[in-house]
Amino acid sequence: MAVQWVLAVHVVVTMLVVVSLLCGHWPIFSGTFVEKIHYFLTFGAYDYFLRFVVAVFGSRGRNCFVTVEHYCCERPNPILQILYLVILGVTYYIIGKSSFRYIPSFYVSELHWYTSMIAVGVGVLLFLLTSFSDPGIVTAENVSKYISAYPYDEIIYVEKECSSCKILKCDYDLLDLNIVVYVIDVLPDLTTIVVGCSFGMQNNCIGEKNTRYFMAFLLWHFLICLYGAVVLGLILAGQLKEHNIIYILTVYYGVEHSFSRLSPHVVQWLLGSYNTQILLIMFLAIISLLLAGFFGYHAHLCLTNTTTNETFKWQDYISWKRKLNEAKASAAALKASIQTITGEAQAPESKWRAFFRKSPLQSEGVIVKNNLYDRGIISNVCEIIFPPSARRSFSHRKSE
């Protein structure tokens, strides 16, 4: 029973950490311990660690650590690429070493020997395509074609010149050359032209031309993790069947044949005999959930032709628009009050009408986010699968 309690506590702590890390900043958790855990994981722990480094090694040690952090987290480097390959290779090796000997079993056929290798191979191929494919680079030669294809919406994107290369920026902000590893070309930012510039797992910018590979990479790895967890679960179920555990528990030990009575004994037997497989199932299940959420978020961005950068810009725009409407409503209310005092107002309205009348500050209409680049789900998906710059019509566009 002690092992079961340890496993239960491990699951609860893991879920608490995941929820706090991903959702702790939500308003619903404001003032709760979830928000505090989120702050500690994202800011507090790092701040305390820097203080510890300063106390032990002084300012030089802190500067050295910050330099290493800058290289690892803010500059293009192959560390995460290597880490991905190590995690994938080690996980597959552990699964093969610990579980392949149970194949074939009662529920798993020999076919999974080959499908597992093919699944991992396709995952590595998508990783390489995402890492080393051209994201789509905006240059002085093709920027006018991009502007013709994606005109400025004059809301969150306006015409302006890139301070580094002195060419006009297209509808999405271009990154400064000091950040991007390219010397001459300027990389656009996110979705229609570039969906996101990141030096993360792929050590490459995710752009118009390789977004399809990135989305396929996320979806495929979610399916791989789910597939691995299901196959391992079927292997354990087959072992239960082959060893007649249910029969032994019910006939020889007199355990009642019900889920509530049998499950503690079955879990105890599995933990004692197949603890590696159970830990692998938990690991793959958690990773698959994270990948599903990550893929769902990016799928939403692709379906609406919106970028992460744009979501913040639209939030700022809507907030500014709302404050502007409130200011106009306040000015109108103030003007009406002044007219009432000076006797310039019309006859006073009924008290009942005034009671039920909406406040001037609440009378402004709903602010609509008019995304010029959202051309419908089908068109947006087609832009991801068939990038506009790779089409023949794009090369024949007239430069403006």
Side-chain angles (χ1 to χ4, degrees), residues 46-47 70 72 103 136 147 159 196 232 241 249 263 271 311 315 342 361 374 388:
Y46 179 76
D47 183 55
H70 179 73
C72 296
I103 299 176
I147 293 175
E159 183 176 346
L232 288 174
K241 189 77 174 178
L249 289 174
S263 56
L271 288 174
T311 56
Q315 289 176 3
T342 57
L361 296 179
D374 185 0

Side-chain angles (χ1 to χ4, degrees), residues 250-288:
T250 54
V251 175
Y252 290 95
Y253 291 93
V255 180
E256 183 182 343
H257 198 286
S258 63
F259 178 80
S260 59
R261 297 289 186 180
L262 286 173
S263 56
H265 301 282
V266 171
V267 170
Q268 185 175 5
W269 181 78
L270 289 175
L271 288 174
S273 304
Y274 303 97
N275 52 2
T276 302
Q277 285 78 7
I278 291 179
L279 291 175
L280 286 171
I281 290 174
M282 293 177 57
F283 171 75
L284 293 175
I286 293 174
I287 297 299
S288 64

